[in-house]
Amino acid sequence: LQAFPDACVIQCHRNLENSVPSLCSLTATIDQLCYADIDPRQVGQRVLHYTEQLVARGLAARDQHPGAAIWDLHYARLIAAP
């Protein structure tokens, strides 16, 4: 937003009940390419940490750019009418 102050940002939201397990599955699949033993609890903790950071950074960006054009779009609406 500093480089493109007139930009319109569309932030897509998905229910955490769906997105966290999906991201855990993806992360574990990728980890299996590099590691022989995967600890599902460790994967879950890492994904929750990523998710927490993403939410915090998104909220901080909104606070730092109060006049920015930031539009919220729920994932279900995007899928229903791309």
Side-chain angles (χ1 to χ4, degrees):
L1 290 170
Q2 289 175 329
F4 302 101
D6 294 337
C8 176
V9 176
I10 300 173
Q11 186 170 11
C12 189
H13 301 277
R14 188 173 176 202
N15 290 336
L16 293 176
E17 297 86 13
N18 299 324
S19 61
V20 170
S22 177
L23 188 53
C24 285
S25 176
L26 176 62
T27 300
T29 298
I30 293 170
D31 283 356
Q32 289 174 353
L33 298 173
C34 300
Y35 307 106
D37 295 319
I38 305 300
D39 180 358
R41 289 184 181 150
Q42 192 274 336
V43 170
Q45 290 173 350
R46 196 166 14 128
V47 167
L48 287 176
H49 179 72
Y50 295 158
T51 303
E52 181 182 45
Q53 285 184 343
L54 290 170
V55 170
R57 288 178 182 177
L59 292 173
R62 287 171 186 260
D63 289 343
Q64 293 169 2
H65 304 279
I70 301 176
W71 294 79
D72 295 295
L73 176 63
H74 196 278
Y75 181 76
R77 283 191 66 193
L78 175 64
I79 296 304

